[in-house]
Amino acid sequence: MLMEQYVIFKSHDQHFAIRVQHVTRVIEARSFIQLPEVADFVLGVYEFQEKMIPIIDVRRKLFKEFTTISEQNNVILCHWNDQDLGLYVDEIVGISTLEETDYQVQLDRSGLKQSYIEKFLKNEESVVLLLALSFLFDFESEEWIETLGETLN
C-alpha cells in the first residue's frame, strides 16, 4: 500500500488528515475579521502574507457544531487549486506517514461514504479520515463565496 505524509488533527473527537503538500502553515489564531452574511461555518477571514484567507470551522462544516474554544485550537492554512483556506480545528495531533486502506470501496458499495471523505488511512492506533479538499473548498453550494468576494473587494 502507498504511504504519504499527512498533517493529522482532531475535530469532534475524530482524527482527520490533510496531505502535507497542501498545508502552508499552522498558526495559533484566535480572532478573525468577521464578515456579514456568510455561512455559519465561516468564522471570518485572517490576514496572512498580504492575503485575506477565509477561515472555516471544520467541526461546524462537518458536524453542525461549533468548535469549543481551547488552548489546543489551531488554524491549518491550506493551498489547493490556486485557493487559500484556513481550517479551524480542535487540536493538531502531528505529522505522520499513514497507510492507505481500501475501506472506502466497502463504504461506496453500502452507500455510506460521505463526500468529505477522500480516503481512509491507518496508523498504529486508529483509522484516520483523509478530508477531500474539494469538499472543504466547495463554497458555491453554501452560496457564501460571492458575498466574501464582494466584501473583500
Side-chain angles (χ1 to χ4, degrees):
M1 286 277 172
L2 183 64
M3 294 183 73
E4 288 186 72
Q5 279 203 317
Y6 301 89
V7 174
I8 303 168
F9 62 92
K10 283 176 76 172
S11 184
H12 202 260
D13 295 322
Q14 172 68 49
H15 285 94
F16 293 96
I18 295 178
R19 288 182 180 88
V20 166
Q21 66 258 34
H22 295 301
V23 175
T24 308
R25 179 168 293 180
V26 174
I27 59 173
E28 293 181 7
R30 304 277 185 266
S31 62
F32 313 104
I33 300 167
Q34 295 183 347
L35 301 173
E37 299 181 33
V38 295
D40 64 355
F41 61 83
V42 179
L43 299 176
V45 293
Y46 183 79
E47 184 180 4
F48 180 74
Q49 296 181 344
E50 299 185 18
K51 290 189 226 173
M52 295 302 272
I53 300 175
I55 307 296
I56 66 166
D57 185 331
V58 172
R59 179 184 278 204
R60 184 71 180 165
K61 179 142 173 124
L62 298 179
F63 299 103
K64 308 297 184 219
E65 294 176 18
F66 287 104
T67 297
T68 305
I69 297 172
S70 77
E71 291 296 313
Q72 280 78 32
N73 297 141
N74 285 288
V75 175
I76 303 170
L77 298 179
C78 302
H79 186 79
W80 180 78
N81 280 0
D82 294 324
Q83 293 181 317
D84 293 298
L85 181 67
L87 307 177
Y88 189 70
V89 301
D90 290 353
E91 171 184 352
I92 301 290
V93 175
I95 297 173
S96 186
T97 302
L98 300 174
E99 183 180 343
E100 288 186 12
T101 69
D102 61 356
Y103 297 159
Q104 66 266 16
V105 174
Q106 298 162 3
L107 283 180
D108 281 342
R109 284 191 207 127
S110 68
L112 293 175
K113 185 175 177 244
Q114 299 296 318
S115 62
Y116 63 86
I117 302 170
E118 183 177 328
K119 292 184 181 190
F120 290 86
L121 307 168
K122 195 165 186 166
N123 63 17
E124 302 83 42
E125 302 98 41
S126 63
V127 173
V128 178
L129 303 178
L130 176 61
L131 284 178
L133 291 179
S134 59
F135 173 81
L136 294 174
F137 279 84
D138 177 18
F139 308 121
E140 290 178 21
S141 62
E142 320 303 347
E143 296 182 7
W144 70 272
I145 195 68
E146 292 168 19
T147 304
L148 178 65
E150 290 168 8
T151 304
L152 296 179
N153 290 332

